[in-house]
Amino acid sequence: MTALSFAVPGRLEAHEPPEATGRPRDSVRLMVASRADGRIGHARFRDLPLHLRRGDLLVVNTSATLPAALAARRADGTPIEVHVSTAAPDDPREERWIVELRDGSGPLFDGDAGERIALPGGAAFELLAPAGPSPRLWLARLRAGAPLLALLARHGHPIRYGYVPEPWPLAAYQTAFAAEAGSAEMPSAGRPFTPELVTRLVAAGVLVAPVLLHTGVSSPEHDEPPYAERYAVPAATARLVDAVRGWGGRVVAVGTTVVRALETVAGEDGTVTAGSGWTDLVVSPERGVRAVDALISGWHEPEASHLRMLEAIAGPALFERSYAAALEHGYRWHEFGDSHLILP
C-alpha cells in the first residue's frame, strides 16, 4: 500500500455542518480525480451532475443514524460514555452488542469481563469479553426492560468526537437517503446530497439504487481492520448494477459502506447477486474491486483501513496525489467536511 504520512491540521477539520453558516449541504467542495488521465479538478458538490453521465448508477446507503452515545457510569461512579456500535452477528434477539467505552480523552482500555456499566433509565451493559483484537471494543449484554433502540431514542445522542465542539441534533447526522435506523455513525459520504440535487441527477439520466449497510463506530486503532457489519443488497439493485455495467455505464458507490456491501455479493467476474447478512470483507489493492467503477467519499485519517479500499479504486499514484492535493488546497476532513469523487 502507498504510505501516507500526515496529520490533519486543525484548520482542516470540519467543526460544524455547512448549514451552521447558512450554506446548503451541497455547497461543500468536491475534488474530482480521474484514473484514466490522472487529472485532478476542484468543484462544489452541487456540480456533481457535470461529472456523471446519462446511464451511470449511483448506489446509496439507506441506513439511518442512531443516537448511539449514552451517558453511563462505571461501578465506582466514574462517569463515562458508551458508544453502541452494532449487534452481535450471532445474536438474532439483539441482546448482545459491541460497545466502546470512552471518556473525554478517548477510548478506555481497562474494561473487565463481568463489569456492569450503568445506563440511563435503570438499564445496564454487562461486559462479557473483548470483541476483537483491540481492547477498546467489548461484547456486552444489555440488561434493560425495553429494546436498545427504544433506550437510545429516549436517552441517546449522536456520537460526536473532539473535533466537533458543539452538539448537533440527530437530523444533522442523517443523509437524504436515510430510511432504516441502524448505523452507529452516519454514512457520511451521502450527507452532501440534497433532494434538489438528487432531482437534478435523475433528470439528467443518472440512476439511483439502494443498498443497506449499518456502520459501526469508526474510531479505529492504527491498521485495525473493520469488523462485521450488517448489510442487504436488494435483488433489484443487483440486477441494475449488472445492467448498467452491461451497457457501459459506471457504478458509482456513494461511500465505502456501499463498496463493502456490493463487493460482498460480487462474483469474480463482477456479477452481483442479491444478498444480506453480515460482512467482514476488507477491500484492498491486492483483492481489487469487481463491481464498483467509481466512488464518492469523504477524507479519511492516515491510519484508517478504508484507505486500502480507496487505493484499490484509484490506483496508488492517483490516490497519493489526491490526498496531497487535498492538504495543499485546504479540503476539510470528517463527517461535515468535503468530498472526493474518484472516476475510472
Side-chain angles (χ1 to χ4, degrees):
M1 174 181 172
T2 300
L4 287 183
S5 179
F6 67 92
V8 180
R11 64 182 176 82
L12 297 187
E13 293 183 326
H15 302 301
E16 59 188 13
E19 306 94 278
T21 57
R23 297 181 294 123
R25 291 186 177 206
D26 61 4
S27 67
V28 299
R29 298 176 69 191
L30 176 68
M31 181 185 294
V32 182
S34 171
R35 187 166 181 171
D37 57 14
R39 284 188 173 185
I40 291 177
H42 307 282
R44 294 285 171 179
F45 201 87
R46 60 176 171 261
D47 301 321
L48 183 62
L50 301 176
H51 302 283
L52 300 182
R53 302 192 297 239
R54 183 179 298 274
D56 284 347
L57 174 65
L58 282 172
V59 185
V60 302
N61 187 358
T62 58
S63 180
T65 310
L66 295 168
L70 289 164
R73 287 189 179 274
R74 306 190 81 162
D76 62 2
T78 302
I80 61 170
E81 187 166 86
V82 174
H83 289 181
V84 178
S85 181
T86 186
D90 58 351
D91 185 359
R93 297 179 62 184
E94 295 191 343
E95 295 178 341
R96 295 183 302 154
W97 295 79
I98 295 172
V99 303
E100 182 184 34
L101 310 183
R102 297 181 70 92
D103 63 12
S105 61
L108 298 171
F109 299 97
D110 60 347
D112 289 309
E115 183 177 359
R116 186 179 176 90
I117 307 295
L119 303 173
F125 271 125
E126 176 191 354
L127 303 186
L128 301 177
S134 169
R136 75 181 182 93
L137 296 174
W138 280 86
L139 180 65
R141 178 177 287 112
L142 178 66
R143 305 290 191 181
L148 179 66
L149 296 190
L151 180 70
L152 294 177
R154 183 170 184 180
H155 299 288
H157 56 274
I159 289 175
R160 175 169 59 96
Y161 297 112
Y163 54 79
V164 180
E166 299 296 329
W168 294 93
L170 184 61
Y173 293 87
Q174 303 292 12
T175 73
F177 310 109
E180 180 180 326
S183 281
E185 298 180 18
M186 174 176 52
S188 56
R191 191 182 194 282
F193 285 90
T194 63
E196 295 79 11
L197 177 57
V198 174
T199 300
R200 288 173 52 215
L201 286 162
V202 171
V206 176
L207 304 169
V208 180
V211 299
L212 180 75
L213 188 138
H214 292 319
T215 70
V217 294
S218 66
S219 51
E221 296 292 280
H222 290 270
D223 300 319
E224 182 180 307
Y227 46 88
E229 295 170 316
R230 189 166 57 192
Y231 80 96
V233 177
T237 296
R239 290 195 296 268
L240 193 52
V241 167
D242 290 343
V244 166
R245 301 195 84 203
W247 68 53
R250 301 174 297 184
V251 176
V252 184
V254 179
T256 58
T257 60
V258 171
V259 177
R260 199 179 194 200
L262 287 179
E263 292 294 323
T264 295
V265 295
E268 291 187 5
D269 64 352
T271 301
V272 173
T273 56
S276 63
W278 295 81
T279 178
D280 58 2
L281 177 68
V282 176
V283 178
S284 66
E286 294 77 19
R287 177 196 181 275
V289 287
R290 301 167 180 174
V292 172
D293 301 302
L295 173 66
I296 295 172
S297 180
W299 298 93
H300 297 274
E301 300 283 356
E303 69 271 17
S305 61
H306 290 313
L307 290 180
R308 290 176 58 75
M309 179 189 297
L310 268 66
E311 185 181 351
I313 295 170
L318 184 62
F319 166 71
E320 187 170 0
R321 288 177 54 236
S322 292
Y323 269 75
L327 292 168
E328 178 185 355
H329 291 273
Y331 279 72
R332 302 185 76 193
W333 258 250
H334 307 309
E335 65 266 30
F336 296 140
D338 296 319
S339 296
H340 186 195
L341 170 61
I342 303 171
L343 294 172

